[in-house]
Amino acid sequence: MSLISQIISQLVNGLQSGSIYALVALGYSMVYGIILLLNFAHGDIIMVGAYVVFYAMTSFSLHPLAAVLLAVIACTLLGTLIEKVAYTPLRSAPRLSLLITAIGVSFLLENGAQLVFGAGAKNVPTFIDGGIQVGGVYLGFVSVVTILVSVASMIALTFLVQKTKLGKAMRAVSEDMGAAQLMGISLNRTISFTFAVGSALAGIGSVLYVSAYPQASPTMGSMLGLKAFVAAVLGGIGSIPGAMIGGFMIGLIEALVTAVGLSTWKDGVVFAVLIIVLLVKPTGILGRKMTEKV
């Protein structure tokens, strides 16, 4: 394989993983933009989606498309349930209480999955096979589908936020929660809808993730969620375009580190990026500075 082919191949790999990080980072950014909550349980929702796909295809012999749809629905419902049970009662509590609760929910989901499904990894049946050869570069259908689905999801989300009534309500609550209430916007419905959309994106991300790495395990969402969080911070947490850019950048950084033969260091490099961003530009690439009146 020529040098150009290797570079293109690594770029495709980076865009593939970056697309998944971007989808998950969107969930972090949307929730943070609305209620300033870092929902660390978001990564574990992906794990639940992976198990739904596994059992839907193995125990119930459902068609892959039906399994995918079921996983997205399950993640959406789970995200909404978590918001209602764990976060709504603490809406007026200090932010630290919400953060601790989010970490607790994450541990609950991980250990609950280990108790119910076992600690061992489950091999998810492959449902996207094959690939095509383009100019000496092999493009797997998994990579192509992942990138296309992620881009389509991001376009749909942008349209939802910018053009629909609920999207305008989300932006209003994000800008000024008190003023939004005075204008007749339902906070409960808007926040629940935000969690539902973010969790649906996590469900899509879980399907794309198990397509590329066909295993489901109780802790699979932990590292994926942390990397997506780094992507959200890099792009500017609270910014939807920033989450997309951050996700793609983290994926490409990982691909670059792997290409130079330092694949064992790629996780460390990702968190080094987080430290550098927090030191140099804490608001991220597209984040905006927050001013507090005293």
Side-chain angles (χ1 to χ4, degrees):
M1 184 182 290
S2 66
L3 179 61
I4 299 298
S5 298
Q6 289 180 350
I7 292 173
I8 295 175
S9 180
Q10 290 298 328
L11 284 175
V12 171
N13 291 337
L15 289 175
Q16 177 187 353
S17 56
S19 297
I20 299 172
Y21 295 148
L23 282 176
V24 183
L26 284 169
Y28 276 111
S29 286
M30 289 174 63
V31 171
Y32 185 84
I34 294 289
I35 58 173
L36 301 179
L37 167 66
L38 295 174
N39 182 21
F40 283 114
H42 194 64
D44 297 292
I45 294 176
I46 296 168
M47 173 267 296
V48 173
Y51 274 108
V52 170
V53 171
F54 170 76
Y55 282 105
M57 294 182 66
T58 56
S59 299
F60 298 99
S61 302
L62 294 181
H63 189 275
L65 290 178
V68 167
L69 182 61
L70 191 61
V72 174
I73 292 173
C75 289
T76 304
L77 294 176
L78 177 61
T80 307
L81 179 64
I82 290 172
E83 188 270 330
K84 289 295 184 186
V85 173
Y87 300 145
T88 299
L90 298 174
R91 192 167 293 164
S92 59
R95 265 189 261 169
L96 182 61
S97 300
L98 281 167
L99 180 62
I100 293 172
T101 302
I103 296 173
V105 172
S106 175
F107 285 141
L108 175 64
L109 290 175
E110 286 183 17
N111 288 279
Q114 187 170 343
L115 182 65
V116 174
F117 306 124
K122 308 290 187 184
N123 292 319
V124 180
T126 303
F127 49 92
I128 302 178
D129 288 321
I132 55 175
Q133 197 81 17
V134 179
V137 179
Y138 179 79
L139 297 178
F141 288 141
V142 171
S143 300
V144 176
V145 169
T146 298
I147 295 170
L148 291 179
V149 170
S150 297
V151 171
S153 300
M154 294 170 196
I155 292 172
L157 177 64
T158 302
F159 176 82
L160 172 70
V161 172
Q162 297 294 332
K163 301 297 182 181
T164 66
K165 188 175 180 180
L166 277 171
K168 293 176 182 177
M170 289 166 60
R171 287 188 284 134
V173 172
S174 174
E175 191 69 32
D176 192 321
M177 190 175 291
Q181 279 185 295
L182 292 174
M183 295 301 293
I185 294 173
S186 171
L187 282 185
N188 288 330
R189 188 177 69 169
T190 304
I191 293 173
S192 295
F193 180 74
T194 303
F195 270 86
V197 172
S199 300
L201 292 172
I204 297 171
S206 70
V207 172
L208 298 176
Y209 187 80
V210 296
S211 299
Y213 313 101
Q215 281 193 333
S217 66
T219 58
M220 62 174 285
S222 179
M223 183 57 70
L224 177 58
L226 287 174
K227 289 182 179 180
F229 169 69
V230 175
V233 173
L234 174 61
I237 194 157
S239 168
I240 291 177
M244 301 178 197
I245 294 171
F248 286 127
M249 287 184 67
I250 292 298
L252 291 173
I253 288 171
E254 282 192 341
L256 176 62
V257 172
T258 302
V260 297
L262 298 174
S263 57
T264 55
W265 287 87
K266 66 179 183 179
D267 292 344
V269 170
V270 169
F271 293 112
V273 169
L274 174 62
I275 295 171
I276 293 170
V277 171
L278 292 176
L279 289 174
V280 177
K281 198 175 189 299
T283 56
I285 296 172
L286 297 182
R288 40 180 193 172
K289 292 183 179 180
M290 303 294 290
T291 56
E292 185 174 348
K293 295 180 180 179
V294 295

